[in-house]
Amino acid sequence: MRKTARYASLAVSGLLALSSLTACANDAASSSSSGGKGDGKGTKVKIMVGGLDKVIYMPAMLTQRLGYFDSEGLDVELLSEPAGVQAETALVSGQVQGAVGFYDHTLDLQTKGKAVESVVQFSHAPGEVEVVASKKAGDIGSPKDFKGRKLGVTGLGSSTDFLTKYLAVKNGVDVSEFTPVAVGAGPTFIAALQQGSIDAGMTTDPTVATILDKKAGKILLDMRTPEGSQEALGGPYPSSSLYMQTDWVNGHKETVQKLANAFVKTLKWMAGHSASEIAAKMPADYSQGDKALYAEAIKSTLPMFTKDGVMPANGPETVEKVLKAFNPNIKNAEVDLKKTYTTEFVEAAK
């Protein structure tokens, strides 16, 4: 089973590399803020995002486009990797000061001796969708049918991998009974679905909107809303966030406060504007030539976002329950949830 996953991953590695390079090229033109006065002398911060063009991580680029980093006197460089697990790696290795990715990584890292905490919680739902290839829609009606299937995730060890495993275990399928396949997002995910490299998979908008538009797949589970999260996972599931190493946060509180100020302004701005207005602020290439479809993708995902950056009540407990269901490292460990997030900075920003 592991060999199959490795070979399947290799089969799409070329596409993944091309997609990553293309994304970096697209992001490069507008990935740095000017530091307030356009002089480049603002406080420098590097943030790695697990896919800058993913709607679930939209607050990162939108904050820059709205000029809120600049107004706080920050010179923020946004970098992009196709999967959240790669953003995590960049953070713990010291390549960047912050990561925009799923909150659940903070729990996983704590069991590995790494102190990392969410400082701004963008969401209270995963924003993820499990889609089934159109050709397999008659055979896969629920996670109970995952047995023997090839299931797409952004990367092995990513949050899509975590959630896929949980949904399987919750529905009586052991993690050894299906094959996770790393296919990234966007064109590589869609190609894998169309070519039969995967039978189903977990992804986000705008990939979901494109899949439906191309009739390449159908929605099996929709976790873009708090209601969808409750149904699939049993509670709110805080996902996309800005998380940082705790030591760095404690040593740079002024800078972290400025980041929190900027992101909370963005979340409030999002809550007061339409999907079309938000889409108009984003880089033109994010719409991939279809502005209406991109706006629809944003509209479908907007319910997942918080309005104030505060960790939702009982959210950490839901995440811990999900991870303990399949992750032996967490199942057998005592996780101190209070050390995985802080509301100090978003409370001050309000």
Side-chain angles (χ1 to χ4, degrees):
M1 196 68 76
R2 291 180 180 174
K3 289 182 179 179
T4 304
R6 189 185 313 128
Y7 296 152
S9 296
L10 287 172
V12 297
S13 61
L15 281 171
L16 279 169
L18 178 59
S19 175
S20 181
L21 286 171
T22 303
C24 288
N26 291 340
D27 296 334
S30 57
S31 63
S32 294
S33 54
S34 61
K37 299 180 180 179
D39 56 11
K41 294 181 181 178
T43 303
K44 181 72 174 179
V45 181
K46 289 185 179 181
I47 298 175
M48 184 66 78
V49 185
L52 261 175
D53 58 350
K54 295 178 183 177
V55 178
I56 59 171
Y57 299 142
M58 183 171 60
M61 179 57 76
L62 184 57
T63 301
Q64 191 177 91
R65 302 285 285 190
L66 291 171
Y68 292 159
F69 290 138
D70 288 349
S71 65
E72 291 291 331
L74 297 171
D75 180 9
V76 175
E77 181 179 1
L78 297 174
L79 305 168
S80 187
E81 286 284 4
V85 66
Q86 292 159 320
E88 171 200 294
T89 300
L91 177 69
V92 297
S93 65
Q95 297 175 48
V96 296
Q97 289 76 52
V100 170
F102 268 41
Y103 160 72
D104 53 23
H105 290 291
T106 66
L107 280 73
D108 187 49
L109 286 168
Q110 189 183 112
T111 66
K112 298 171 182 175
K114 304 290 184 181
V116 175
E117 60 188 16
S118 165
V119 294
V120 184
Q121 195 58 50
F122 297 161
S123 62
H124 47 189
E128 302 283 354
V129 178
E130 184 72 24
V131 294
V132 180
S134 294
K135 295 177 181 178
K136 300 289 183 178
D139 302 323
I140 304 175
S142 79
K144 294 179 181 178
D145 301 319
F146 282 176
K147 188 174 181 178
R149 303 295 180 179
K150 295 173 291 184
L151 304 178
V153 297
T154 52
L156 301 181
S158 67
S159 296
T160 52
D161 190 19
F162 291 165
L163 287 172
T164 299
K165 287 176 178 175
Y166 173 73
L167 291 172
V169 170
K170 180 186 177 185
N171 287 276
V173 180
D174 191 84
V175 295
S176 65
E177 295 181 306
F178 67 90
T179 306
V181 185
V183 291
T188 55
F189 186 100
I190 297 169
L193 202 64
Q194 291 175 320
Q195 295 167 9
S197 300
I198 58 175
D199 302 310
M202 191 172 290
T203 192
T204 61
D205 277 312
T207 306
V208 175
T210 303
I211 288 169
L212 298 179
D213 186 60
K214 291 178 177 289
K215 295 181 170 53
K218 297 182 178 180
I219 292 177
L220 181 67
L221 287 172
D222 192 339
M223 296 178 283
R224 290 175 292 188
T225 66
E227 295 78 15
S229 176
Q230 179 71 40
E231 183 177 350
L233 306 173
Y237 196 92
S239 56
S240 56
S241 64
L242 170 68
Y243 63 86
M244 313 178 89
Q245 296 201 62
T246 301
D247 283 348
W248 198 91
V249 171
N250 292 337
H252 301 80
K253 288 200 170 188
E254 184 178 351
T255 299
V256 176
Q257 186 62 62
K258 290 178 179 179
L259 286 167
N261 293 345
F263 280 124
V264 170
K265 284 181 189 176
T266 297
L267 291 168
K268 289 181 178 177
W269 188 93
M270 288 168 58
H273 290 77
S274 69
S276 295
E277 290 172 324
I278 295 170
K281 290 289 185 180
M282 300 299 285
D285 60 303
Y286 282 20
S287 67
Q288 298 180 9
D290 193 331
K291 293 181 180 179
L293 187 64
Y294 182 56
E296 187 62 31
I298 292 175
K299 183 179 179 180
S300 297
T301 305
L302 274 178
M304 73 173 280
F305 293 106
T306 68
K307 297 179 181 179
D308 53 13
V310 176
M311 176 66 72
N314 302 318
E317 288 79 7
T318 304
V319 172
E320 183 181 30
K321 179 196 70 175
V322 167
L323 296 183
K324 279 184 177 293
F326 67 86
N327 188 321
N329 292 333
I330 294 181
K331 186 175 183 178
N332 301 317
E334 287 293 330
V335 178
D336 188 344
L337 293 177
K338 292 181 180 178
K339 292 183 178 180
T340 62
Y341 71 97
T342 176
T343 60
E344 173 186 350
F345 302 99
V346 291
E347 292 287 355
K350 290 196 297 184

